Amino acid sequence: MLLNLKNIYKWYNVGGNRTFILKDINFEVQEGEFISIMGPSGSGKSTLLNIIGMLDEPNEGTYNFLHENVFKLKEKQRAQLYKQYIGFVFQQYHLIDELTVYENIETPLIYQDVKTSERKALVADMLDRFNIVGKKDLFPNQLSGGQQQLVGIARALIAKPKLILADEPTGNLNSKQGEEIMQLFKQLNTEGVTIIQVTHSEKNAAYSSHIVNLLDGVIKR
Amino acid sequence: MIKNYFKIAWRNLLKQKGLSFINVFGLSIGLACFSLFLLYAVNEFSFDRFHQNRNNVFRVVRWNKAIGNRPEGGDSYMPIPLGPAMKNDLPGVVNFVRLREGWGESFVKVNNSTIPLDVMFVDPQFFDVFSFKILMGDKHTALKDLRSIVITEDIAKKLFGETNVVGRVVEIKGDKTFEPFTITAVAENPPANSTISFKILANWAFMESNTETGKRNSTRWTASGYQTYVQLQAGSGLPNDAATLAAFRKKYYPNEAEELKKRAMWSGSESPISYRLQSISDMHTNRTIEGGLMPPISPKNIWILLAIAAGVLIIACINFTTLAIGRSASRAKEIGIRKVIGSDKRQLVAQFLIEALVLSGISAVIGFILAQLLLPYFNTLSGRELVFSYQQYPEMAWMMAGLVVLVGLLAGTYPALILSNFKPLEVLKSKVRVAGANLFTKSLVTVQFILSIGLIISTVVILQQIHFMQNQNPGFNKENIVMVNAESIDAKRIFPLFKQQMLAQPSVKAVAGTDIGLGAGSGWSVMDFEYEGKSKSVYEYSIDADYIPLMSMEMKAGRNFDAKIASDTITSVIVNEALVKDFGWTIENAVGRALKGYDEKFSPIVIGVVKDFNFRPLRESLKPQLFHQFPGSAPFKYFVKIEAGNPSATLAAMQKTWTSLEPNLPFQYDFLDESLNQFYKAESRLGNIIGWAGSISIFLACLGLFGLAALSTVNRTKEIGIRKVLGASASHITTLLSKDFLKLVLIAIAIASPIAWWLMHKWLQDFAFRISVEWWVFVFVGFIALLIALFTVSFQAIKSALANPVKSLRME
């Protein structure tokens, strides 16, 4: 088992009323799964993904990641955990505009104190694999959306994570580009990477091995 | 990782060209300013430390306890026999050097042109005791011969156009005639941080054997006027051995205490006068000891100047901080991503600090170039000849490096902490806007304006005081008076001839003679005597009967001197109102009084009272003063009153007359009003420096305000767009955007005014004659500051108020 969530609640207090985003979520992910979280806007998909990614905290509940109780960890240890095991892919790509393709991909390694020579080799492999060697010195705004998302995925993969969290990875792409990205996810999954994606699209969800439907903060079976 | 940080820093710098420019430019100016002041301060505090023997060389000073109405204090004017006597009598004294400096200029003749130059007589061991460097010649044999001299490289170039001049002969005017001297060495110019300064050095022995005063004073213990330095054995306890020094003093002045007692000036059993040894590194900053050409400074003033410069630098740093926070919105995304892909807070802090350091490094380079370019102006402002020299001020190197780091940290720390604290999720998801100005940045901007407004108010007050001192009626008419310097000639013989010929000129109204001029550098003469059991100090001037009318001075009682009355040149004196008051008389009963105790042989009789006039700078209160025509004084200054208007023709005529009477010596003169204005050089200098600092700081503050206003309008683009769609006018938008900033300036005015008032009030206390600080100064400066700020802010506001709202809304 890679992770499990138990009795997760997340709410906001608005004018004395408690508005629930997530209500009693229980959820388990095995290594090697490819999960799609689906549901209408405002159903809590992204919040759930962010909690899994340790970017957000619930108001109640427990979360175990690789048998560690995440919310009992100190900030630093938690950062260590997700630095090592989790990669993020965003709908808006979220590349750093001031960095080239090469540097964007390299940055996570820098934060993990990987040596320069090793970094070079790893980034070169990644560029090669995604066929973007020729673009390595370009800045994000010189790339198309699909290319930017490729870079985003390459960056998420560079540190060899066990888990990829993708929030609407194809939301800003045309259908052809979107298909390519999903193919890539599929392939990564067969190579052993666990993937959790949030998506609106049935077509994208079809790539996954398991679908979780969320409605008003509750998982529908 | 570090390399990566630098890369990002550089790209961010290029990306935000406008803001980077404001930051770099502001910091460069701040750093240039500060490094100049730092150089000045380092120079002042390094005075006389370049001497290798600095720990063992001491200046002999005479320390007086408070006697009569004179406060406690010391001076460095010593009699000639003191040096040899100390070496002879006191164990531990291994060497001595005597200097005769500041006795006025001598005339130096080379190739038939005559130039007035300072000649300083020193003992030949001068170069053994002090570490002045010799360029040509041998320091051990220089000054050995009676008629040998050493000149500086500047003087060598001035006289001969080159420095290779050892062996050449120049003529220097002695008491009566020009005498030949041989140059035995050329010395490097004394460094800017030397109390002892010289242009030409001549052998002490020549002064003692070939000049009248030298011959007369060479064995006298009562004729002081020479500096004496002694070199002690390393580790000698003499400087702290008051008993030995007192015994030494007693040996040469055995009855001092008794004599002072007899004159009712002292009641103790031990003499109140003692010798002390002053470390040479103490000379420049100890203001309790008089003497020497280079007046000591008060370390307090240096700290004040440094504080002002630091203020300017802080204003520049604040710009960096506020702008960095102001544009944090645009960097929020980057920070969020970095955190998500694994950066921890520490690494982000490091990144932002390195950005600040890169910026301050670039600014330092530009600032240093700027400082180099500004150095000549700064030198005129500061009255020093400073150079950025690593050799001379090695400490400057690490100070500057430290400063760059400090500035980077000062400017970068707060933004780094703020930015690195962003929660990635909020930043990436909910588009937080960190507004252009939060409370902290607002406070910083207010601080900037407090500093600038305070400085400008101070400048205005200082300038007002200077203006007041220069234009206050001094009690005489200072306009159109030429003071001709006749100190080096046979003044008494030539004066009547000069006067007669000058009065023949229609443009000359009157000519008078006096022994001492007026104004800065004129010197003074004070007579101390005991009047009816009380000790009195009276300033005195020897004048002639034409002086008081020429100066348009007012007689309060009695009469002016009269050339026809014989006793006027023997016993008559004219006193001022301050003397009348000091002596307990009244204007009505003063005439006919005798100044008993003035002289053993006679008592001067008061024949008139002159209205008080400011013969001293206005920072001093009026002192008792008298005019006399006693025999024995000579008219060393000829006062010539000329027609108003262009003086050049009259001056040419004066020069011609001079040359016909004294063909060997150049004609030297000053205008009285200019000479009086020189009294206030220090104040003018302070006013200039603070004025500059004030202008620069308000400029920097506005630069920051400009950037902040720009950011604020960018951050509020959507709001402005909506308001315009809803029908807001351009003027409404402009007011909306400007209001916030102007409020800050108003708060700054309210805080700066009382502080500046208090500081200026304190500063003005040093002046006996002073202005009062007027309320309108604050209103005026506040109004100007507000106007400048309004101009700066509204520039941005108007720009955005006029922009097309559709465009700004579509962008959102």
Side-chain angles (χ1 to χ4, degrees):
Chain A
M1 190 189 62
L2 183 65
L3 62 92
N4 72 348
L5 297 165
K6 271 184 214 152
N7 310 108
I8 297 289
Y9 284 85
K10 175 93 183 167
W11 65 76
Y12 293 113
N13 289 321
V14 182
N17 292 328
R18 187 168 282 187
T19 310
F20 283 91
I21 310 292
L22 295 175
K23 244 188 231 172
D24 196 17
I25 300 287
N26 291 286
F27 183 48
E28 209 175 283
V29 179
Q30 305 298 329
E31 265 187 65
E33 276 194 290
F34 186 166
I35 295 172
S36 292
I37 302 174
M38 295 193 73
S41 292
S43 59
K45 303 183 302 281
S46 294
T47 309
L48 181 57
L49 196 72
N50 287 331
I51 289 175
I52 295 172
M54 302 174 204
L55 296 176
D56 205 351
E57 286 185 29
N59 297 86
E60 269 179 42
T62 44
Y63 173 19
N64 291 307
F65 187 90
L66 287 172
H67 307 291
E68 298 255 30
N69 189 338
V70 173
F71 302 132
K72 291 238 166 83
L73 294 178
K74 284 187 187 141
E75 169 89 39
K76 225 176 180 173
Q77 293 167 307
R78 200 185 308 166
Q80 204 52 46
L81 201 63
Y82 82 68
K83 235 193 242 189
Q84 206 176 341
Y85 296 115
I86 302 178
F88 292 88
V89 177
F90 301 93
Q91 181 181 357
Q92 299 91 340
Y93 329 125
H94 284 331
L95 301 178
I96 297 177
D97 298 335
E98 287 79 19
L99 300 184
T100 62
V101 166
Y102 182 96
E103 289 158 355
N104 262 294
I105 297 173
E106 182 192 26
T107 306
L109 296 177
I110 292 176
Y111 288 133
Q112 292 182 22
D113 295 329
V114 177
K115 279 197 214 96
T116 315
S117 53
E118 205 177 325
R119 274 196 329 246
K120 266 189 188 156
L122 286 170
V123 177
D125 283 353
M126 201 55 79
L127 290 168
D128 207 24
R129 172 168 179 190
F130 288 174
N131 228 345
I132 44 175
V133 178
K135 308 242 175 335
K136 74 178 170 59
D137 291 326
L138 297 182
F139 287 91
N141 58 13
Q142 295 168 301
L143 301 176
S144 73
Q147 289 167 335
Q148 288 193 48
Q149 193 58 296
L150 271 184
V151 177
I153 294 170
R155 187 180 64 184
L157 285 174
I158 188 78
K160 300 203 166 63
K162 279 187 184 304
L163 174 64
I164 293 261
L165 298 174
D167 192 353
E168 308 247 17
T170 61
N172 279 4
L173 303 177
N174 62 32
S175 60
K176 188 171 169 284
Q177 290 170 331
E179 221 163 282
E180 282 169 13
I181 297 291
M182 290 324 292
Q183 284 295 345
L184 180 59
F185 273 17
K186 183 90 195 152
Q187 195 197 333
L188 290 172
N189 185 237
T190 55
E191 287 167 17
V193 181
T194 312
I195 296 174
I196 303 175
Q197 69 166 348
V198 162
T199 182
H200 270 119
S201 138
E202 296 284 345
K203 208 167 134 200
N204 286 353
Y207 285 91
S208 56
S209 59
H210 187 94
I211 295 175
V212 174
N213 280 302
L214 262 187
L215 187 64
D216 294 336
V218 180
I219 295 180
K220 298 281 162 194
R221 305 276 166 189
Chain B
M1 173 132 44
I2 297 279
K3 199 179 119 200
N4 194 270
Y5 288 158
F6 277 108
K7 204 156 56 187
I8 307 281
W10 181 246
R11 286 194 194 142
N12 263 310
L13 211 67
L14 291 184
K15 194 178 157 200
Q16 307 255 357
K17 286 205 183 65
L19 285 180
S20 304
F21 173 76
I22 291 181
N23 276 333
V24 170
F25 186 57
L27 275 182
S28 306
I29 291 181
L31 280 167
C33 225
F34 193 79
S35 58
L36 286 172
F37 280 100
L38 188 66
L39 177 66
Y40 179 75
V42 165
N43 179 62
E44 296 299 303
F45 287 129
S46 70
F47 253 74
D48 303 315
R49 313 241 158 144
F50 62 92
H51 295 297
Q52 264 145 29
N53 295 328
R54 63 183 169 278
N55 295 327
N56 302 322
V57 177
F58 293 80
R59 181 166 74 169
V60 187
V61 300
R62 180 170 49 187
W63 189 261
N64 299 293
K65 292 188 178 146
I67 314 175
N69 59 356
R70 228 189 267 167
E72 182 167 18
D75 71 73
S76 64
Y77 297 118
M78 296 296 130
I80 292 179
L82 177 79
M86 279 196 144
K87 189 180 174 186
N88 204 29
D89 295 3
L90 296 173
V93 177
V94 292
N95 214 341
F96 67 89
V97 180
R98 292 164 296 180
L99 322 177
R100 197 196 84 170
E101 63 165 12
W103 279 46
E105 288 173 329
S106 308
F107 291 97
V108 178
K109 190 148 88 176
V110 175
N111 302 332
N112 287 326
S113 71
T114 309
I115 308 169
L117 278 175
D118 274 320
V119 174
M120 179 158 99
F121 289 98
V122 300
D123 283 308
Q125 55 270 33
F126 183 78
F127 289 104
D128 298 329
V129 173
F130 300 117
S131 304
F132 295 105
K133 293 200 182 77
I134 295 276
L135 283 180
M136 313 257 166
D138 178 3
K139 74 172 192 175
H140 298 295
T141 57
L143 296 177
K144 273 280 177 300
D145 299 325
L146 202 59
R147 286 166 191 277
S148 56
I149 56 167
V150 174
I151 66 177
T152 62
E153 51 176 317
D154 270 5
I155 295 301
K157 280 180 198 146
K158 186 169 173 179
L159 296 177
F160 301 100
E162 56 168 329
T163 55
N164 190 10
V165 295
V166 172
R168 299 210 196 171
V169 173
V170 298
E171 284 182 279
I172 299 175
K173 186 166 178 286
D175 283 348
K176 293 262 154 43
T177 54
F178 280 92
E179 307 206 26
F181 289 83
T182 310
I183 297 168
T184 50
V186 176
E188 252 180 36
N189 296 323
N193 55 358
S194 175
T195 295
I196 300 168
S197 180
F198 59 88
K199 293 187 167 82
I200 298 180
L201 294 175
N203 193 338
W204 184 269
F206 179 87
M207 195 268 298
E208 258 190 73
S209 58
N210 289 46
T211 68
E212 281 306 317
T213 47
K215 273 189 259 182
R216 194 169 59 233
N217 293 343
S218 72
T219 55
R220 285 170 71 191
W221 283 83
T222 50
S224 304
Y226 311 89
Q227 309 267 328
T228 300
Y229 293 81
V230 290
Q231 184 181 349
L232 305 184
Q233 246 157 22
S236 164
L238 192 61
N240 302 317
D241 187 353
T244 307
L245 289 169
F248 174 80
R249 172 90 191 172
K250 198 162 172 78
K251 177 174 173 189
Y252 294 98
Y253 299 88
N255 303 317
E256 199 165 50
E258 286 71 25
E259 273 165 27
L260 286 166
K261 257 184 233 168
K262 233 184 277 169
R263 288 162 62 192
M265 292 169 88
W266 184 246
S267 53
S269 58
E270 293 299 317
S271 168
I273 304 170
S274 57
Y275 283 129
R276 288 188 182 180
L277 298 181
Q278 180 191 23
S279 161
I280 54 170
S281 31
D282 178 55
M283 293 194 296
H284 191 60
T285 45
N286 186 342
R287 299 231 278 184
T288 61
I289 290 162
E290 246 184 73
L293 277 186
M294 170 78 74
I297 49 101
S298 132
K300 194 179 84 190
N301 288 344
I302 296 189
W303 291 117
I304 290 174
L305 289 180
L306 265 187
I308 292 172
V312 174
L313 190 59
I314 284 171
I315 287 177
C317 288
I318 288 179
N319 275 353
F320 182 92
T321 305
T322 53
L323 293 179
I325 293 172
R327 73 191 168 111
S328 54
S330 65
R331 297 204 65 179
K333 187 187 142 199
E334 179 198 335
I335 296 153
I337 299 169
R338 282 184 183 278
K339 281 200 159 177
V340 168
I341 61 178
S343 163
D344 58 36
K345 206 179 140 181
R346 193 174 41 86
Q347 289 164 319
L348 282 173
V349 170
Q351 182 192 331
F352 287 115
L353 281 182
I354 284 177
E355 277 186 32
L357 286 174
V358 166
L359 208 89
S360 95
I362 294 171
S363 309
V365 172
I366 299 174
F368 193 68
I369 295 170
L370 216 59
Q372 282 281 16
L373 293 175
L374 291 175
L375 190 59
Y377 303 98
F378 182 76
N379 278 341
T380 26
L381 210 61
S382 69
R384 292 273 186 271
E385 285 174 25
L386 303 172
V387 278
F388 279 106
S389 150
Y390 175 74
Q391 262 184 330
Q392 204 171 342
Y393 316 106
E395 58 272 53
M396 277 296 278
W398 64 258
M399 281 183 177
M400 291 300 290
L403 190 67
V404 172
V405 175
L406 187 75
V407 162
L409 293 181
L410 208 62
T413 303
Y414 183 73
L417 291 178
I418 289 282
L419 294 176
S420 61
N421 253 339
F422 280 172
K423 297 256 183 314
L425 194 63
E426 288 170 26
V427 173
L428 292 180
K429 282 286 166 188
S430 53
K431 288 189 166 184
V432 283
R433 281 233 175 277
V434 179
N438 59 16
L439 184 68
F440 184 76
T441 53
K442 277 179 180 168
S443 317
L444 289 181
V445 171
T446 312
V447 168
Q448 288 183 312
F449 274 90
I450 292 173
L451 284 172
S452 344
I453 291 170
L455 285 172
I456 292 180
I457 291 175
S458 309
T459 310
V460 173
V461 174
I462 292 172
L463 292 181
Q464 273 184 305
Q465 172 68 14
I466 294 169
H467 181 83
F468 165 79
M469 291 191 292
Q470 291 182 343
N471 292 283
Q472 157 87 338
N473 181 3
F476 54 88
N477 187 348
K478 62 184 179 181
E479 307 296 328
N480 306 311
I481 293 175
V482 179
M483 293 190 297
V484 179
N485 181 2
E487 274 163 27
S488 322
I489 62 172
D490 191 349
K492 218 164 185 169
R493 182 183 62 81
I494 288 180
F495 178 68
L497 305 170
F498 181 82
K499 182 175 172 180
Q500 188 196 357
Q501 293 195 25
M502 284 320 293
L503 285 175
Q505 296 280 335
S507 58
V508 171
K509 288 180 174 167
V511 178
T514 172
D515 60 341
I516 306 172
L518 289 175
S522 297
W524 64 88
S525 157
V526 175
M527 181 72 183
D528 290 320
F529 61 97
E530 190 195 335
Y531 173 78
E532 295 186 340
K534 288 190 197 108
S535 83
K536 299 287 181 193
S537 284
V538 177
Y539 282 77
E540 50 177 34
Y541 291 89
S542 162
I543 60 168
D544 60 18
D546 294 314
Y547 186 83
I548 288 175
L550 178 141
M551 298 284 277
S552 319
M553 285 172 182
E554 193 186 324
M555 296 297 295
K556 282 285 189 183
R559 61 174 177 86
N560 184 15
F561 293 121
D562 189 333
K564 293 185 205 85
I565 300 174
S567 66
D568 272 9
T569 57
I570 302 162
T571 57
S572 298
V573 292
I574 296 171
V575 300
N576 71 350
E577 292 170 292
L579 185 140
V580 169
K581 208 171 143 205
D582 186 51
F583 280 59
W585 307 335
T586 64
I587 307 258
E588 292 73 35
N589 69 18
V591 174
R593 296 257 185 176
L595 287 172
K596 278 170 277 174
Y598 179 89
D599 193 289
E600 286 171 10
K601 300 189 188 77
F602 74 103
S603 292
I605 307 293
V606 176
I607 60 159
V609 179
V610 70
K611 185 172 182 277
D612 278 338
F613 68 100
N614 293 106
F615 52 94
R616 300 288 301 152
L618 265 68
R619 71 180 84 86
E620 295 176 20
S621 57
L622 276 162
K623 305 274 171 52
Q625 169 266 335
L626 66 79
F627 288 124
H628 66 78
Q629 297 197 91
F630 300 148
S633 46
F636 290 127
K637 296 280 175 180
Y638 303 168
F639 277 43
V640 184
K641 176 91 179 175
I642 60 174
E643 290 278 355
N646 186 355
S648 55
T650 319
L651 285 172
M654 229 180 272
Q655 160 120 47
K656 210 172 143 204
T657 308
W658 176 275
T659 314
S660 70
L661 296 169
E662 182 54 74
N664 285 323
L665 297 174
F667 171 61
Q668 292 175 291
Y669 68 92
D670 294 291
F671 282 98
L672 180 59
D673 49 355
E674 287 171 9
S675 177
L676 287 168
N677 285 347
Q678 290 285 313
F679 269 148
Y680 311 115
K681 223 161 94 184
E683 285 80 14
S684 298
R685 206 172 268 164
L686 184 70
N688 272 328
I689 286 176
I690 295 186
W692 272 104
S695 318
I696 290 172
S697 60
I698 198 140
F699 173 73
L700 290 179
C702 283
L703 207 61
L705 199 60
F706 183 81
L708 214 54
L711 283 169
S712 156
T713 45
V714 168
N715 285 349
R716 295 171 78 173
T717 311
K718 187 176 163 193
E719 180 197 340
I720 295 165
I722 294 171
R723 280 175 188 276
K724 285 194 79 173
V725 170
L726 294 176
S729 67
S731 69
H732 179 94
I733 303 271
T734 311
T735 319
L736 178 84
L737 291 172
S738 310
K739 203 175 59 193
D740 281 355
F741 291 111
L742 296 186
K743 228 187 290 168
L744 302 183
V745 179
L746 281 174
I747 294 172
I749 295 170
I751 297 176
S753 296
I755 299 174
W757 179 85
W758 183 76
L759 286 174
M760 281 299 102
H761 182 76
K762 288 222 89 160
W763 181 73
L764 285 170
Q765 297 309 307
D766 287 349
F767 297 87
F769 297 84
R770 57 178 176 257
I771 55 163
S772 53
V773 185
E774 304 278 351
W775 61 270
W776 61 261
V777 172
F778 303 98
V779 175
F780 173 72
V781 174
F783 181 71
I784 297 283
L786 209 57
L787 212 65
I788 296 175
L790 181 69
F791 178 76
T792 312
V793 174
S794 61
F795 184 79
Q796 286 294 337
I798 291 171
K799 202 171 101 184
S800 76
L802 295 178
N804 183 352
V806 179
K807 219 165 146 191
S808 60
L809 286 179
R810 193 186 293 145
M811 260 165 47
E812 276 293 309

